[in-house]
Amino acid sequence: MDLSRTLTGLGAALLTAALLTNPAAAAPDAVSNDRVPSTRDFGNGPDRNETAAVAPEAAAARLLTAPEAADSRWTPRPRGYPRQTVLPVYPENPEDRSIKLGLIPYHGIAPKLNALQKASDRVSAEVIGKSAGGRDLYLVTVTAPESAAEAARQERWRELIEENPRAAKRDRSLARGYKTPIWINANIHGNEWEGTDGSLRVIERLATATDAATRDFLKRSRLYVTVTNNPDGRVAGTRANGAGFDVNRDHATSSQPESRAVRDVVIATQPFVMLDEHGYTGTTLIEPATPPHGQNYEYDLYIKHALPNAEGMEAAIQRLGYPETTRADIPFRDYAPGDWDDWPPIFTPMYAMYHGAIGHTVEIPLRVNNADYNTLPVEELRRRAALNTDVAAATIEATLTYSDTNRATLLADQIEQFRRGWAGEPSPTIPDGFVPGFGPEDRYRTEFPRAYVIPAGTPAAARLVNHLVDHDVRVTRARHDFTLNGKRYPDGTYLVDMHQPKRGLANVMLEAGRDISDLVPQMYDISGWSHRLLWGAPVDISRNAAPRVATSRVTKAAPTGAIDAPRGRDLILSLRDGNDVRAVNELLTLGIKLRRTGAATVVVPAEARPEAAAVAQRFGVRFTAAPRGTRGEVFDQPVIAGAVSADELFALTEMGFPVRTVSTATLNAGTVDLSDVDTLIVSSGLSYTALNATARAAVDAYLARGGGVVTRGATGAAFNAAAGVLPATAVAGRGDANGVVNVTNHGPVVGAGSLPHSFVYSPIWFTGSGFTVEQRYGADPLVAGHWLPNDAGTNGPAQAAGQAAVISGTTAGDGRAVLFGTEPLFRAHPKGLYAQFARALFHTAG
Ligand SMILES: [Zn+2]
């Protein structure tokens, strides 16, 4: 489903309003707009509320639940080129959706790459990871052969550029001999196929060409290609990967193996230029993007290359001579602010920019997916796919030409980006006309703080530190106690000294962000995020003072698990973090008799100390001594039925909750049994009003016997209203509103010890009486993001101020319910909010 970018403002509000009363109402398939022919595929909001996740296939489930899965990281082996791995070949799958389009199916890629490796000493292919569905992720490197020593020298030069840019700038042999790194990422959206085929065509040409120009080019360059970044989606014809995630929204979070592969490739290869090949926008679309531009970029170094390279790609597709390729849309040049922005670091090219790359999203033109896939004649689909393949190949070839022609300035500018970081220099103010069309609306910059300080000892701190380190942000550990800005910190405290090469990446994760509501009329995707405010670890900011303490570089956070209690004493674990929840679920799975003294406090009997020690070590959680005589209520692992979105299912699985997935369809089909369910989650794909009489009776009976209910978002609020769960009226903020919000905590379940910030997308608040307010929006709710009132001046942050964001209460059947107007599990990002949802589950399960 594609929603036009015009689906904002009143339209979105009406849609949300419609969802509240009738969640079965489908969003319009497309909203036409003459100027912007199509859109970045919209991956949020309504989508998240209408499709209930189903438990993933076994391979994905295994990866989902393995805490170690996220720890694996691909780094290149210290060897020369070619490397010529024989890739495993998989059985033919006649169901692969690529086949109908005349494109290469997933099972065809390994044989093709094996043949190319056999035929050419310029091609190396390797498997750098597995998709969520367990398929191979390939990296192809095309370059002239290198001895191991030559490859090692290339790696030393790459490192010098990053670690000591001033020395790299002076190094004449580096300037002469460093091979221009170029990276093409293809097919990150599984049903945008042809980037794969276009890049394979370019690989094949480079592998087999006998002309001197190609030979010389390969002596000066390395082309890296992640041939399909989403093989699960390629096979299934879906945008998402096998876990239901939009990988091109996951780069700041890295919850998925496909985005971790991107992270690892961009860090290891440090490309000067990269393309992320997508489709389908009617007219070919080539970034650079419109404002708002990410405020942490060295944007001058970017736009001076991005615009001419985009125009070079446009010229290349014009030369193809198709009536469909007479021009490209270059958003920076052709679109209004806010129509196609590069603000959040969740898209591949934007993420890559922080690693020194000139990043471009390329949208090939002719639609072959979704409804068109099923309705157009095969010949027309194949004509389109062939044309799209030509366009993808042309953009890649043009980028190779630009990168080769401008290799000296691209090198100098990557060095300059890292030099500014190390020097702590302010990003320059870019003058109007710096490139054609650059004006005041394009001017975004920030003041980098001198350092961030992360107190150690909690699983949240360890998670944040590991995340930063995995993304190549430099983190150090103080070797002694120290004082900074009048505050004393113990040895072992983590420091992010912002004088570092990738300071933009460090800051885009650790800053609060910015309220950009007044700057552009609408935004396309999330406008707020913050690992500092949403991931649960307290982080201090030192604006000006540099920490003065001896430090060591951190490659992995120190373990945090501990039992701070004498032997023989019962233990307490507070449910503050997703890891605390995971530990509790693990203990319950082991059959330990746990007790609760409140929504957030779990008591572990003294005799389970060995098991507690094991989960403390595994999940980094800390147990304390229970006060003598602490009793509490014994509880089991709740039986949970969930009509939830895929990202929520993932987050719940991360916390160790087994979830029986349900939906309107499965309830209507009678294939779900609610008789043993303790609590029912409704957030996506369950409409009470769309249930048939039998299914409705089953839900009614469930509620009448006191079954628990947890809801989230518009679908949950509609369920609450239709099924009469709690006497609350839901009010929807503008449908596209999103970001980090201030909240105040009140109630005992969700409010207990929660962060003062939360995350919203299509925020909701609750009015009425007869319930407990757990959490309210702050007096000035929006910290960072985009949230405007509707045209009538309603449904904005001013109206949400002080309103109930999360409520709890008792149902008519004497069950317990919790209703979320916030997004504590959104895309598995706000890790510091996870425990709120878990506490709601334990509480409502009784
Ligand atoms: Zn796409």
Side-chain angles (χ1 to χ4, degrees):
M1 174 169 57
D2 303 317
L3 296 181
S4 165
R5 305 185 69 146
T6 57
L7 185 68
T8 53
L10 194 58
L14 289 171
L15 176 61
T16 305
L19 286 165
L20 284 179
T21 51
N22 178 14
D29 232 352
V31 179
S32 66
N33 176 330
D34 291 339
R35 209 182 66 75
V36 182
S38 188
T39 67
R40 267 178 182 167
D41 291 285
F42 195 77
N44 296 308
D47 279 11
R48 275 191 81 231
N49 295 335
E50 288 162 13
T51 309
V54 290
E57 51 192 279
R62 207 167 47 243
L63 285 165
L64 270 174
T65 49
E68 303 77 18
D71 287 347
S72 63
R73 175 158 165 191
W74 174 79
T75 46
R77 287 162 298 168
R79 287 177 48 192
Y81 287 100
R83 293 175 178 180
Q84 305 206 317
T85 316
V86 178
L87 303 173
V89 172
Y90 297 98
E92 274 189 36
N93 175 6
E95 302 296 312
D96 190 305
R97 306 276 278 184
S98 320
I99 295 169
K100 183 177 180 183
L101 301 170
L103 300 171
I104 190 165
Y106 166 71
H107 62 252
I109 295 173
K112 170 106 184 159
L113 293 175
N114 284 338
L116 281 168
Q117 290 186 100
K118 213 168 184 179
S120 169
D121 61 2
R122 301 167 183 173
V123 180
S124 305
E126 58 195 298
V127 175
I128 58 168
K130 294 268 190 195
S131 69
R135 295 186 175 88
D136 288 342
L137 301 172
Y138 305 115
L139 175 69
V140 176
T141 306
V142 191
T143 192
E146 293 171 25
S147 67
E150 283 167 338
R153 190 175 57 167
Q154 291 291 326
E155 173 56 18
R156 281 199 304 278
W157 278 335
R158 185 207 62 74
E159 209 174 276
L160 192 70
I161 291 166
E162 184 187 3
E163 297 289 340
N164 193 347
R166 295 164 68 95
K169 194 176 177 177
R170 291 191 303 267
D171 190 327
R172 296 238 176 117
S173 59
L174 186 160
R176 251 190 333 269
Y178 186 56
K179 285 184 163 180
T180 303
I182 304 152
W183 169 44
I184 309 299
N185 193 48
N187 200 203
I188 189 168
H189 289 146
N191 62 355
E192 298 164 13
W193 285 270
E194 298 90 337
T196 300
D197 303 79
S199 59
L200 283 170
R201 183 187 297 172
V202 175
I203 291 167
E204 185 156 9
R205 182 189 73 74
L206 293 172
T208 55
T210 53
D211 59 292
T214 301
R215 276 205 305 272
D216 290 347
F217 169 79
L218 290 172
K219 284 181 193 159
R220 293 189 298 268
S221 316
R222 280 186 187 166
L223 172 65
Y224 302 103
V225 185
T226 28
V227 176
T228 167
N229 194 205
N230 182 356
D232 300 345
R234 184 174 193 83
V235 170
T238 58
R239 174 185 182 83
N241 71 350
F245 273 68
D246 185 334
V247 183
N248 197 35
R249 302 290 184 272
D250 190 49
H251 295 303
T253 307
S254 308
S255 69
Q256 298 305 301
E258 294 87 351
S259 67
R260 290 195 291 273
V262 158
R263 175 197 70 192
D264 296 348
V265 167
V266 74
I267 291 170
T269 66
Q270 210 167 293
F272 290 173
V273 184
M274 73 81 47
L275 304 183
D276 202 33
E277 293 279 351
H278 290 254
Y280 303 95
T281 44
T283 303
T284 302
L285 182 146
I286 304 172
E287 289 176 348
T290 70
H293 304 303
Q295 59 187 356
N296 293 287
Y297 299 135
E298 304 298 327
Y299 193 75
D300 57 326
L301 303 175
Y302 168 73
I303 195 64
K304 68 185 273 199
H305 293 292
L307 186 57
N309 189 34
E311 289 173 337
M313 288 188 256
E314 180 182 47
I317 65 160
Q318 286 168 338
R319 285 194 297 273
L320 293 172
Y322 295 110
E324 293 95 336
T325 60
T326 54
R327 57 181 291 270
D329 281 344
I330 299 177
F332 178 88
R333 186 188 69 184
D334 302 329
Y335 287 1
D339 275 358
W340 192 286
D341 64 277
D342 57 32
W343 179 252
I346 58 176
F347 309 118
T348 317
M350 282 69 252
Y351 175 72
M353 282 157 74
Y354 293 110
H355 292 280
I358 311 299
H360 303 260
T361 299
V362 172
E363 299 270 349
I364 52 180
L366 302 181
R367 184 167 297 282
V368 294
N369 63 5
N370 302 341
D372 288 338
Y373 185 95
N374 296 317
T375 55
L376 288 178
V378 172
E379 315 83 76
E380 171 60 8
L381 285 171
R382 291 190 171 196
R383 182 191 75 84
R384 290 183 177 196
L387 187 152
N388 286 336
T389 303
D390 289 352
V391 170
T395 58
I396 296 167
E397 293 282 8
T399 292
L400 299 185
T401 302
Y402 181 89
S403 304
D404 192 38
T405 311
N406 297 280
R407 58 192 300 271
T409 45
L410 284 165
L411 169 65
D413 289 331
Q414 190 181 70
I415 288 173
E416 171 64 6
Q417 175 172 340
F418 295 147
R419 186 200 66 77
R420 283 182 196 169
W422 281 113
E425 258 177 38
S427 301
T429 302
I430 306 172
D432 289 354
F434 177 76
V435 294
F438 188 96
E441 73 282 4
D442 290 305
R443 197 165 291 119
Y444 283 80
R445 56 195 292 275
T446 193
E447 283 179 28
F448 295 101
R450 186 62 187 79
Y452 290 98
V453 185
I454 308 173
T458 63
R463 175 174 52 235
L464 179 61
V465 165
N466 285 332
H467 183 79
L468 292 168
V469 167
D470 286 345
H471 283 261
D472 204 27
V473 170
R474 281 143 183 76
V475 182
T476 58
R477 265 198 122 189
R479 289 158 69 174
H480 313 286
D481 298 1
F482 66 101
T483 303
L484 186 63
N485 302 314
K487 187 170 170 183
R488 195 80 186 143
Y489 296 96
D491 68 306
T493 299
Y494 298 106
L495 291 160
V496 181
D497 187 325
M498 290 295 285
H499 287 194
Q500 60 167 297
K502 297 181 180 176
R503 66 170 175 185
L505 185 59
N507 211 48
V508 83
M509 290 179 175
L510 294 174
E511 67 176 351
R514 181 171 166 188
D515 178 353
I516 55 169
S517 308
D518 292 334
L519 300 176
V520 289
Q522 82 274 331
M523 286 287 286
Y524 173 60
D525 205 274
I526 59 160
S527 311
W529 61 90
S530 175
H531 301 67
R532 176 165 61 84
L533 299 181
L534 298 177
W535 275 37
V539 182
D540 294 335
I541 305 172
S542 181
R543 288 278 160 213
N544 301 304
R548 293 185 178 281
V549 60
T551 60
S552 325
R553 176 97 179 251
V554 174
T555 53
K556 193 167 178 49
T560 54
I563 298 183
D564 302 326
R567 293 197 171 276
R569 281 284 283 280
D570 286 355
L571 307 172
I572 279 188
L573 184 61
S574 295
L575 299 182
R576 303 279 180 236
D577 189 272
N579 280 34
D580 298 321
V581 178
R582 182 79 194 259
V584 163
N585 276 325
E586 188 76 15
L587 292 172
L588 289 170
T589 304
L590 293 170
I592 310 290
K593 280 235 173 313
L594 303 181
R595 314 191 299 275
R596 288 190 310 153
T597 61
T601 307
V602 171
V603 183
V604 182
E607 56 272 22
R609 192 178 178 105
E611 291 84 355
V615 297
Q617 190 184 27
R618 186 150 172 232
F619 304 114
V621 300
R622 302 180 81 94
F623 294 87
T624 55
R628 286 189 194 285
T630 303
R631 305 183 66 84
E633 236 179 278
V634 173
F635 69 106
D636 296 322
Q637 189 156 50
V639 177
I640 298 170
V644 296
S645 56
D647 54 343
E648 290 175 315
L649 179 62
F650 183 89
L652 292 165
T653 309
E654 272 191 295
M655 287 191 282
F657 287 112
V659 178
R660 186 182 303 169
T661 53
V662 300
S663 65
T664 306
T666 59
L667 284 165
N668 279 344
T671 54
V672 189
D673 180 12
L674 295 178
S675 64
D676 62 338
V677 169
D678 296 315
T679 194
L680 170 68
I681 312 172
V682 181
S683 64
S684 191
L686 203 177
S687 165
Y688 183 84
T689 54
L691 294 177
N692 62 33
T694 313
R696 198 176 292 187
V699 169
D700 290 344
Y702 171 79
L703 293 171
R705 73 161 166 84
V709 176
V710 176
T711 78
R712 189 272 306 161
T715 297
F719 180 84
N720 178 67
V725 181
L726 291 182
T729 303
V731 183
R734 201 173 108 157
D736 65 339
N738 72 82
V740 180
V741 291
N742 288 308
V743 292
T744 55
N745 291 301
H746 304 275
V749 181
V750 172
S754 288
L755 300 177
H757 299 101
S758 191
F759 183 82
V760 293
Y761 196 106
S762 304
I764 284 175
W765 56 94
F766 301 97
T767 61
S769 60
F771 51 79
T772 301
V773 176
E774 293 283 340
Q775 197 172 67
R776 291 183 188 279
Y777 293 109
D780 182 9
L782 191 64
V783 176
H786 194 274
W787 184 355
L788 286 171
N790 291 324
D791 292 347
T794 59
N795 308 78
Q799 287 75 42
Q803 300 282 355
V806 185
I807 62 172
S808 63
T810 306
T811 68
D814 215 20
R816 294 164 171 183
V818 174
L819 277 53
F820 286 89
T822 56
E823 290 276 352
L825 308 177
F826 188 81
R827 295 182 184 162
H829 179 72
K831 310 287 187 196
L833 310 180
Y834 274 26
Q836 295 179 17
F837 209 90
R839 294 201 298 267
L841 291 175
F842 284 126
H843 171 75
T844 54

